Amino acid sequence: MKKLFIVLAVLALCVGVASAKLTESKPTYETSTPNRANAVIWYDDMEGDVSAYSSTDFSAGAAPHFHLDTYMAYEGTYSWWCGNFDYDTDGGYGNSWDDRLLIPTTDLSAATYPILTYAFRHDSEIGYDYTYVQAESMGVYVNLNRGYDGAAPWTDIGLYGFILGTYDNPLNARFRFLSDGAWSDEDGDYLSVGGGFMCDIVKVFDYFGGYVYFFDNADDQVSLIPAVPGAAGDFWHLIDRCCPAYSDPHSWWCGDDSDTSLVPPMLQNGLFSPLVDISGASACTAHMAVHFAVPTVDNDYCAFYGTAGGNYYGIVSYWGDFGSCDGWGGAGLNTGFDITQFDLPPYSWGGFLWIMYTTENGCGPGAGGDAGVMIDDLWYEVPTSPVESVSWGSIKSLYR
């Protein structure tokens, strides 16, 4: 994901130390020009009726992307592929995937020097979208490799595999593909060929004795198991506790009130704003107050999406930690996000979507003891001339 310096510069002026993790291909900016002012057409401080907001757990009902496929197969007819043709004709992958290909539990008690080998290829965004080879150690999956990213042709690691003798027995091992919230074939900002990950001839054997404990060649011997995480739950709700809001007392938070210092693990929780009538507007900027308590030591983040009446498009994703209850601001409050930048006019409805992503160990605590992201005052502005501002102000101000 490419970092835009305009976003970093804006955040550097704000209270706290929140920073941009990743962005889409276009910068965030005001929709006004030097000769045109902005008029507020809708505003909500979260203190009235919020029934038009909705939330969802995007992890519920997800289907595995790993499957047997003939496309670019290594040998024989099939190979395992974590990818599809949903986005383009040469194959690729989408945003926010978390897929696993499991080696069934394998007893290695009799093995002297067990080794894991396989053939693989990959094409995924460098520095952000990875495939990990993992095995359990004391009941927790740990990485055997640093993570495959970028593009690489088919490679058979042969005898240069991973030694398994120091890991749990029985063995539990897997391939895990992880993509973040933007820059993939899905949004067109990273165009892979046959992305993200393929593998074949997966084998666990004893180096000295030669005995094969597990083998999958994706053709006549198939026993790997595609999997995805189970539904994690929907945790967006209004809160009024300590450090609650930009305009007291209420704000939206994604978390469990039983432990406010840790957002639950493996979340893909989305919060949808109400849809606001922006018909007749030449453009529209969404502003909001946001408090971040998302430490930068992990890969938790909140992705921001906007719509101008069609699909929701990724605008920017953030992680960071404001460190105190006074930390409200950032680009969302001070600069805003142009929700019409991805569509052509005429526009109909404008809306916003926040998605909170957490890793296997959850998110938090931040320096102030809290965790996650809080969303408060949301408003929409449109460019207008002095004459137009009268009609916008009288007809559409505070429209819900």
Side-chain angles (χ1 to χ4, degrees):
M1 214 71 39
K2 311 303 180 286
K3 297 181 181 179
L4 297 180
F5 291 104
I6 184 172
V7 177
L8 294 174
V10 168
L11 288 170
L13 297 176
C14 302
V15 177
V17 293
S19 60
K21 172 184 176 284
L22 36 100
T23 69
E24 283 285 4
S25 56
K26 297 187 179 182
T28 59
Y29 57 89
E30 290 279 7
T31 57
S32 63
T33 66
N35 297 321
R36 296 172 69 87
N38 276 4
V40 176
I41 62 167
W42 187 89
Y43 172 81
D44 188 6
D45 61 1
M46 316 303 175
E47 302 306 322
D49 181 8
V50 295
S51 60
Y53 290 82
S54 63
S55 59
T56 188
D57 176 12
F58 285 110
S59 67
H65 295 102
F66 269 110
H67 66 283
L68 292 171
D69 206 293
T70 60
Y71 183 57
M72 301 181 72
Y74 178 65
E75 66 175 23
T77 303
Y78 294 96
S79 291
W80 288 99
W81 180 27
C82 185
N84 56 39
F85 296 104
D86 288 358
Y87 313 115
D88 49 41
T89 58
D90 61 7
Y93 67 97
N95 297 326
S96 305
W97 284 14
D98 183 356
D99 280 86
R100 299 92 184 275
L101 187 62
L102 310 178
I103 295 176
T105 300
T106 304
D107 185 1
L108 300 179
S109 300
T112 303
Y113 201 74
I115 300 283
L116 168 64
T117 67
Y118 49 88
F120 73 102
R121 68 166 298 278
H122 55 84
D123 189 354
S124 60
E125 185 195 4
I126 297 175
Y128 292 95
D129 300 340
Y130 292 96
T131 302
Y132 296 97
V133 185
Q134 300 177 322
E136 278 193 350
S137 176
M138 295 186 289
V140 177
Y141 277 103
V142 297
N143 296 333
L144 306 183
N145 66 334
R146 70 159 191 86
Y148 298 129
D149 63 338
W154 276 106
T155 302
D156 184 354
I157 64 174
L159 297 179
Y160 302 100
F162 295 101
I163 303 169
L164 302 174
T166 59
Y167 299 97
D168 292 354
N169 183 57
L171 171 72
N172 287 301
R174 67 189 184 185
F175 300 92
R176 183 181 181 189
F177 178 80
L178 282 168
S179 62
D180 61 10
W183 287 74
S184 72
D185 297 89
E186 181 176 0
D187 53 35
D189 290 322
Y190 181 84
L191 296 175
S192 71
V193 178
F197 182 76
M198 295 180 178
C199 64
D200 208 330
I201 54 171
V202 179
K203 181 167 65 172
V204 177
F205 71 104
D206 192 335
Y207 181 84
F208 292 112
Y211 184 82
V212 176
Y213 292 88
F214 173 84
F215 184 68
D216 186 319
N217 65 0
D219 286 301
D220 57 324
Q221 296 189 52
V222 176
S223 49
L224 291 166
I225 305 169
V228 292
D234 181 5
F235 290 92
W236 280 108
H237 64 286
L238 281 180
I239 59 171
D240 60 0
R241 53 184 169 75
C242 180
C243 194
Y246 182 72
S247 58
D248 287 342
H250 293 99
S251 66
W252 289 99
W253 179 59
C254 183
D256 186 344
D257 290 325
S258 65
D259 185 357
T260 59
S261 66
L262 183 71
V263 178
M266 301 306 299
L267 296 190
Q268 293 186 37
N269 277 191
L271 173 66
F272 292 86
S273 78
L275 294 176
V276 177
D277 186 359
I278 60 171
S279 57
S282 60
C284 183
T285 304
H287 291 260
M288 67 213 65
V290 187
H291 173 76
F292 285 95
V294 183
T296 58
V297 296
D298 209 341
N299 199 33
D300 309 302
Y301 61 95
C302 187
F304 292 14
Y305 295 77
T307 182
N311 295 323
Y312 282 86
Y313 292 95
I315 299 175
V316 69
S317 296
Y318 292 128
W319 61 11
D321 186 6
F322 283 139
S324 71
C325 288
D326 295 329
W328 285 86
L333 179 67
N334 296 286
T335 305
F337 305 103
D338 180 4
I339 62 173
T340 57
Q341 61 182 289
F342 303 103
D343 292 307
L344 295 175
Y347 308 116
S348 55
W349 298 94
F352 219 81
L353 164 64
W354 302 267
I355 304 180
M356 184 68 195
Y357 294 94
T358 60
T359 54
E360 287 179 313
N361 59 355
C363 171
D370 53 349
V373 174
M374 301 174 191
I375 309 293
D376 201 5
D377 299 39
L378 172 67
W379 70 96
Y380 293 92
E381 298 180 359
V382 298
T384 179
S385 67
V387 174
E388 290 170 333
S389 65
V390 175
S391 60
W392 277 110
S394 60
I395 296 175
K396 300 197 174 184
S397 178
L398 302 182
Y399 180 90
R400 296 188 181 179

Short mmCIF file of all heavy atoms in Angstrom, two decimals, residues 24 39 87 146 154 179 192 197 214 220 239 244 247 273 282 312 325 363 365 370 376 381 396:
data_model
loop_
_atom_site.label_atom_id
_atom_site.label_comp_id
_atom_site.label_asym_id
_atom_site.label_seq_id
_atom_site.Cartn_x
_atom_site.Cartn_y
_atom_site.Cartn_z
N GLU A 24 -5.54 4.49 -0.69
CA GLU A 24 -5.88 4.15 -2.06
C GLU A 24 -5.08 5.04 -3.00
O GLU A 24 -4.21 5.78 -2.60
CB GLU A 24 -7.39 4.34 -2.28
CG GLU A 24 -8.21 3.22 -1.69
CD GLU A 24 -8.14 1.96 -2.53
OE1 GLU A 24 -7.41 1.92 -3.54
OE2 GLU A 24 -8.82 0.99 -2.17
N ALA A 39 -20.63 24.24 1.88
CA ALA A 39 -21.83 24.35 2.70
C ALA A 39 -22.08 23.00 3.36
O ALA A 39 -22.03 21.96 2.71
CB ALA A 39 -23.03 24.75 1.87
N TYR A 87 -12.00 -10.68 -10.59
CA TYR A 87 -11.65 -9.28 -10.81
C TYR A 87 -11.02 -9.03 -12.17
O TYR A 87 -11.08 -7.92 -12.68
CB TYR A 87 -10.70 -8.80 -9.71
CG TYR A 87 -11.18 -9.19 -8.32
CD1 TYR A 87 -10.45 -10.08 -7.53
CD2 TYR A 87 -12.38 -8.70 -7.83
CE1 TYR A 87 -10.90 -10.45 -6.28
CE2 TYR A 87 -12.84 -9.07 -6.57
CZ TYR A 87 -12.09 -9.95 -5.80
OH TYR A 87 -12.54 -10.33 -4.57
N ARG A 146 9.57 -15.73 6.40
CA ARG A 146 9.35 -14.31 6.69
C ARG A 146 8.08 -13.80 6.02
O ARG A 146 7.63 -12.69 6.29
CB ARG A 146 10.52 -13.47 6.19
CG ARG A 146 10.63 -13.39 4.69
CD ARG A 146 11.44 -12.16 4.24
NE ARG A 146 11.31 -11.94 2.81
CZ ARG A 146 10.33 -11.24 2.25
NH1 ARG A 146 9.37 -10.72 3.00
NH2 ARG A 146 10.28 -11.07 0.94
N TRP A 154 7.18 -20.42 -10.21
CA TRP A 154 7.16 -21.70 -9.51
C TRP A 154 8.56 -22.09 -9.07
O TRP A 154 9.52 -22.01 -9.85
CB TRP A 154 6.59 -22.80 -10.41
CG TRP A 154 5.09 -22.88 -10.42
CD1 TRP A 154 4.25 -22.48 -11.42
CD2 TRP A 154 4.26 -23.40 -9.38
NE1 TRP A 154 2.95 -22.72 -11.07
CE2 TRP A 154 2.91 -23.29 -9.81
CE3 TRP A 154 4.51 -23.95 -8.12
CZ2 TRP A 154 1.84 -23.70 -9.06
CZ3 TRP A 154 3.43 -24.36 -7.36
CH2 TRP A 154 2.12 -24.24 -7.81
N SER A 179 -4.09 -10.58 2.96
CA SER A 179 -4.02 -9.31 2.23
C SER A 179 -4.68 -8.23 3.07
O SER A 179 -5.59 -8.50 3.85
CB SER A 179 -4.71 -9.42 0.87
OG SER A 179 -6.09 -9.73 1.01
N SER A 192 -2.13 -8.32 -10.14
CA SER A 192 -1.32 -9.52 -10.14
C SER A 192 -1.68 -10.39 -11.34
O SER A 192 -2.68 -10.18 -12.01
CB SER A 192 -1.53 -10.31 -8.84
OG SER A 192 -2.82 -10.90 -8.83
N PHE A 197 -1.43 -16.85 -4.16
CA PHE A 197 -0.49 -17.90 -3.82
C PHE A 197 -0.93 -19.24 -4.38
O PHE A 197 -2.12 -19.56 -4.37
CB PHE A 197 -0.36 -18.01 -2.30
CG PHE A 197 0.65 -19.04 -1.85
CD1 PHE A 197 2.00 -18.78 -1.91
CD2 PHE A 197 0.23 -20.26 -1.36
CE1 PHE A 197 2.94 -19.73 -1.50
CE2 PHE A 197 1.14 -21.22 -0.94
CZ PHE A 197 2.51 -20.95 -1.01
N PHE A 214 3.25 -37.34 5.13
CA PHE A 214 2.14 -36.63 4.50
C PHE A 214 2.55 -36.26 3.08
O PHE A 214 3.69 -35.86 2.82
CB PHE A 214 1.78 -35.35 5.27
CG PHE A 214 0.75 -34.51 4.57
CD1 PHE A 214 -0.60 -34.79 4.71
CD2 PHE A 214 1.13 -33.47 3.72
CE1 PHE A 214 -1.54 -34.04 4.03
CE2 PHE A 214 0.19 -32.73 3.04
CZ PHE A 214 -1.15 -33.01 3.19
N ASP A 220 -3.86 -37.05 -7.74
CA ASP A 220 -4.41 -38.31 -7.25
C ASP A 220 -4.29 -38.46 -5.74
O ASP A 220 -4.89 -39.35 -5.16
CB ASP A 220 -3.73 -39.49 -7.95
CG ASP A 220 -2.22 -39.48 -7.77
OD1 ASP A 220 -1.63 -38.38 -7.76
OD2 ASP A 220 -1.63 -40.56 -7.65
N ILE A 239 -21.12 4.19 22.81
CA ILE A 239 -20.61 4.18 24.17
C ILE A 239 -20.70 5.59 24.75
O ILE A 239 -20.78 6.58 24.02
CB ILE A 239 -19.14 3.70 24.24
CG1 ILE A 239 -18.23 4.59 23.38
CG2 ILE A 239 -19.05 2.24 23.80
CD1 ILE A 239 -16.76 4.30 23.56
N PRO A 244 -15.10 9.30 25.76
CA PRO A 244 -16.08 8.75 24.85
C PRO A 244 -16.20 9.45 23.51
O PRO A 244 -16.51 8.83 22.52
CB PRO A 244 -17.38 8.90 25.63
CG PRO A 244 -17.18 10.14 26.42
CD PRO A 244 -15.72 10.20 26.75
N SER A 247 -17.83 15.32 20.88
CA SER A 247 -18.89 16.11 21.50
C SER A 247 -19.64 15.15 22.44
O SER A 247 -20.35 14.28 21.98
CB SER A 247 -19.83 16.70 20.44
OG SER A 247 -20.40 15.69 19.65
N SER A 273 -22.76 4.41 7.76
CA SER A 273 -23.47 5.63 8.11
C SER A 273 -24.81 5.66 7.38
O SER A 273 -25.02 4.91 6.42
CB SER A 273 -22.65 6.86 7.71
OG SER A 273 -22.74 7.09 6.31
N SER A 282 -21.99 19.04 -6.98
CA SER A 282 -20.90 18.76 -7.92
C SER A 282 -19.85 17.85 -7.29
O SER A 282 -19.08 17.20 -8.00
CB SER A 282 -20.24 20.07 -8.37
OG SER A 282 -19.71 20.78 -7.25
N TYR A 312 -19.14 0.99 -2.63
CA TYR A 312 -18.27 1.61 -1.64
C TYR A 312 -16.82 1.41 -2.10
O TYR A 312 -16.41 0.30 -2.41
CB TYR A 312 -18.47 0.98 -0.26
CG TYR A 312 -19.70 1.47 0.45
CD1 TYR A 312 -20.93 0.86 0.23
CD2 TYR A 312 -19.64 2.54 1.33
CE1 TYR A 312 -22.07 1.32 0.88
CE2 TYR A 312 -20.77 3.00 1.98
CZ TYR A 312 -21.98 2.40 1.75
OH TYR A 312 -23.10 2.85 2.39
N CYS A 325 -7.11 11.03 26.00
CA CYS A 325 -8.51 11.31 25.67
C CYS A 325 -8.67 12.62 24.92
O CYS A 325 -9.74 12.88 24.36
CB CYS A 325 -9.35 11.33 26.94
SG CYS A 325 -9.60 9.70 27.68
N CYS A 363 -6.50 -6.00 19.38
CA CYS A 363 -5.93 -4.66 19.27
C CYS A 363 -5.91 -3.96 20.62
O CYS A 363 -6.93 -3.89 21.30
CB CYS A 363 -6.76 -3.83 18.28
SG CYS A 363 -6.32 -2.08 18.22
N PRO A 365 -3.64 -2.68 24.42
CA PRO A 365 -4.12 -1.33 24.69
C PRO A 365 -3.20 -0.26 24.10
O PRO A 365 -2.03 -0.51 23.84
CB PRO A 365 -4.10 -1.26 26.22
CG PRO A 365 -2.97 -2.18 26.60
CD PRO A 365 -2.99 -3.29 25.59
N ASP A 370 -6.88 2.72 26.54
CA ASP A 370 -8.04 2.28 25.77
C ASP A 370 -7.56 1.57 24.51
O ASP A 370 -6.36 1.37 24.31
CB ASP A 370 -8.93 3.47 25.43
CG ASP A 370 -8.16 4.60 24.74
OD1 ASP A 370 -6.92 4.55 24.72
OD2 ASP A 370 -8.80 5.53 24.22
N ASP A 376 -17.07 9.89 16.00
CA ASP A 376 -18.09 10.84 16.47
C ASP A 376 -18.46 11.78 15.33
O ASP A 376 -18.33 11.40 14.18
CB ASP A 376 -17.59 11.58 17.71
CG ASP A 376 -18.73 12.17 18.54
OD1 ASP A 376 -19.90 11.93 18.21
OD2 ASP A 376 -18.45 12.87 19.52
N GLU A 381 -20.15 18.14 3.42
CA GLU A 381 -20.08 19.47 2.83
C GLU A 381 -20.05 19.36 1.32
O GLU A 381 -19.47 18.42 0.77
CB GLU A 381 -18.82 20.20 3.31
CG GLU A 381 -18.77 20.44 4.81
CD GLU A 381 -17.49 21.16 5.22
OE1 GLU A 381 -16.65 21.43 4.33
OE2 GLU A 381 -17.33 21.44 6.42
N LYS A 396 -31.49 21.32 2.49
CA LYS A 396 -30.84 20.05 2.80
C LYS A 396 -30.01 20.05 4.08
O LYS A 396 -29.42 19.04 4.41
CB LYS A 396 -29.96 19.63 1.63
CG LYS A 396 -30.76 19.45 0.33
CD LYS A 396 -30.00 18.66 -0.70
CE LYS A 396 -30.89 18.39 -1.91
NZ LYS A 396 -30.23 17.53 -2.90
#
